[in-house]
Amino acid sequence: MQTQPVLDHIEATLDAARERWFSFLRIPSVSAQPAHAGDCAAAAAWVRDQLAAMGFQAAVHDTPGHPIVLGHHPGPGPDAPHLLFYGHYDVQPAEPLELWDSPPFDPVLQDGPHGPRVVARGAVDDKGQVMMWLEALRAWHAVHGTLPVRVTALIEGEEEVSSENLEPFLAAHRDALRADVAVISDTGMWDRDTPALTTRLRGIAYVQVTIHAAARDLHSGIFGGSALNPVNLLARILADLHDADRRIQLPGFYDGVADAAPPEWAALGFDEAEFLGGIGLSVPSGERGRGGLERLWARPTADVNGIWGGYAGPGSKTVIAADAGAKVSFRLVPGQDPAAVVQSFRDFVHARLPADARAEIEVFGTAPGIEIPSGSRFVQAARDVLAEEYGRPAVLIGSGGSIPVVESMRRLLGMDSLLMGFGLDDDQVHSPNEKFDWACFHHGMRAHARLLGRLGASQG
């Protein structure tokens, strides 16, 4: 089966592909908000119907949370390579709505500084990137009546809320899900002209700490100077997380962390000033004495993601709060044990509690950092097709973010992942006015079509 007719079909049906993408984006499948549970179910049904139209045996599987879509296509036969495509249909909440230039679930194609772009919640994360490989599969099916490889498609609806029900699903459907490699498009390019494969991901430990003191909120004039203030205490504890060089002070935190970044990263020519300038900053933060990419990809972090306590409304209210809380995330690198980090944080907090204070620590999710072998035939095939599509070599990069399913698939299904994404740093993921450049979406469809053809041609 030839790939060029498939690429020609993609070019001839761009308008239809865009409209399907827009139809997907119009479904407000916000997994974090119970009011959108029906929309998540609608998005799952929409994906199932798309797969069924391409010859997949596809079904929606209920979970205790949002449903999972699973589809299978036999391709040319049992001896063909077997790919597992993974993605997610759920999206982040759109709030604050007033910061959007257009309604978040009414996608628009608008001119940007580098060409047309689509603006909507989920444009890139992850509906746009899922649609790239769905359209590549659709084109192969339309031209040849089948696919050049065996394909399993797994699309979940809880990635934005820590995928609580995914691992039980993977374990329960282990035999149906095993493949030669998982293909995931939920990552990015090096820049808008240079394709990339991500071979290193940071993990995460995400916790919430709540400090309790008095039995009720107190008048700061009557009790100030005598009663323990949990907001002050929490602020001191959180400030103690870093030293003057911004190294994290949890005992044993750096156990297992490699002391040097891969040397090939230096050749990428990362401009940290430009990277920060795009978000209105100018001075690098983080661990002193480390390079920019090293801090982003190869060093662990601790960040306070939210903090509360006392009165935060308009005007004044002189109160000593009864409790205070914070959400704290630790981005972890390969070699670190997430459970050990959580326990170290727990011990760190409790060691700093005075009399009359108590702490509750809730763990929202953990995943270890991971490295993906860069010498596999799948990585090489992807590098080849990206070079064909872009006319320049694909680079191997790391990611500061976390994709826990990569580790789950390795542990539960015994397979590695191919992280071939097309997002850009300025896509405003999780922010108002999320966008995906049309050129990235277009190249992504074609690159996935090329990858299917390359791996299909390699059988035997």
Side-chain angles (χ1 to χ4, degrees):
M1 290 184 280
Q2 294 183 340
T3 300
Q4 188 56 52
V6 177
L7 298 176
D8 294 341
H9 181 83
I10 288 175
E11 295 305 307
T13 57
L14 290 177
D15 289 345
R18 183 171 63 246
E19 185 49 45
R20 283 187 290 268
W21 180 18
F22 277 26
S23 295
F24 196 17
L25 291 171
R26 291 187 184 106
I27 305 172
S29 46
V30 181
S31 54
Q33 297 175 340
H36 288 291
D39 296 313
C40 289
W46 189 92
V47 172
R48 176 204 58 205
D49 293 347
Q50 300 303 305
L51 291 171
M54 302 176 221
F56 279 75
Q57 291 184 333
V60 173
H61 295 260
D62 291 331
T63 77
H66 299 302
I68 290 174
V69 183
L70 183 61
H72 300 281
H73 195 296
D79 296 329
H82 187 185
L83 308 185
L84 170 63
F85 280 89
Y86 163 87
H88 62 94
Y89 63 76
D90 65 318
V91 299
Q92 283 278 319
E95 289 80 359
L97 298 177
E98 66 274 12
L99 296 183
W100 285 80
D101 296 332
S102 56
F105 296 104
D106 186 8
V108 295
L109 181 67
Q110 61 179 222
D111 291 332
H114 303 283
R117 59 186 180 181
V118 170
V119 177
R121 173 56 84 226
V124 63
D125 182 25
D126 183 38
K127 288 181 176 178
Q129 300 223 56
V130 167
M131 285 302 298
M132 294 182 309
W133 53 261
L134 282 176
E135 291 299 329
L137 294 169
R138 187 190 311 276
W140 272 97
H141 184 265
V143 171
H144 294 291
T146 187
L147 303 179
V149 297
R150 291 178 292 157
V151 173
T152 297
L154 171 67
I155 304 95
E156 65 153 320
E158 297 181 332
E159 195 273 347
E160 301 292 4
V161 288
S162 300
S163 299
E164 179 179 354
N165 293 294
L166 182 61
E167 282 212 359
F169 187 87
L170 295 180
H173 297 81
R174 190 178 274 115
D175 292 340
L177 289 167
R178 283 198 179 98
D180 297 318
V181 69
V183 181
I184 301 175
S185 284
D186 199 7
T187 53
M189 299 170 59
W190 173 241
D191 58 41
R192 66 185 64 258
D193 298 314
T194 309
L197 297 170
T198 300
T199 59
R200 184 185 181 100
L201 296 165
R202 287 196 293 197
I204 193 170
Y206 192 16
V207 302
Q208 177 173 304
V209 55
T210 306
I211 305 293
H212 301 276
R216 57 181 172 83
D217 288 357
L218 306 171
H219 189 297
S220 66
I222 297 174
F223 290 96
S226 178
L228 173 65
N229 187 325
V231 178
N232 294 350
L233 173 60
L234 179 61
R236 287 198 301 272
I237 292 172
L238 296 176
D240 283 348
L241 280 173
H242 297 87
D243 67 10
D245 291 326
R246 296 187 284 274
R247 282 180 60 85
I248 297 156
Q249 297 301 290
L250 300 187
F253 184 77
Y254 291 97
D255 290 352
V257 177
D259 197 48
E264 57 267 25
W265 289 355
L268 294 174
F270 178 60
D271 187 336
E272 192 165 18
E274 180 180 354
F275 176 73
L276 292 173
I279 55 172
L281 299 177
S282 60
V283 179
S285 186
E287 192 177 353
R288 205 182 304 276
R290 302 285 178 174
L293 288 183
E294 185 179 10
R295 282 184 274 104
L296 289 168
W297 295 347
R299 302 299 293 177
T301 66
D303 284 295
V304 179
N305 302 130
I307 187 167
W308 61 92
Y311 180 69
S316 63
K317 182 182 180 183
T318 53
V319 64
I320 296 174
D323 49 53
K327 296 182 188 292
V328 183
S329 64
F330 300 92
R331 294 290 177 173
L332 310 178
V333 299
Q336 288 182 289
D337 178 356
V341 169
V342 170
Q343 186 59 50
S344 184
F345 178 70
R346 194 183 304 274
D347 295 342
F348 183 88
V349 171
H350 284 286
R352 286 161 175 76
L353 294 179
D356 292 333
R358 64 183 178 88
E360 292 181 70
I361 296 176
E362 182 178 0
V363 181
F364 290 132
T366 62
I370 195 166
E371 285 187 271
I372 297 167
S374 59
S376 75
R377 68 185 179 99
F378 299 106
V379 170
Q380 188 55 55
R383 296 188 82 173
D384 289 344
V385 301
L386 287 170
E388 290 173 0
E389 179 63 27
Y390 281 87
R392 62 171 61 190
V395 297
L396 302 181
I397 63 173
S399 172
S402 306
I403 307 179
V405 70
V406 175
E407 189 276 335
S408 299
M409 286 181 173
R410 175 181 282 180
R411 175 167 40 86
L412 295 174
L413 304 181
M415 64 180 171
D416 278 314
S417 298
L418 181 65
L419 300 174
M420 189 172 81
F422 297 85
L424 299 172
D425 288 340
D426 67 354
D427 282 337
Q428 299 183 207
V429 174
H430 292 196
S431 297
N433 300 310
E434 177 183 351
K435 63 87 176 172
F436 197 18
D437 283 11
W438 175 254
C440 294
F441 181 79
H442 185 195
H443 281 302
M445 288 189 291
R446 292 172 55 89
H448 276 293
R450 289 181 187 272
L451 180 67
L452 290 164
R454 176 63 59 92
L455 293 176
S458 69
Q459 67 183 86

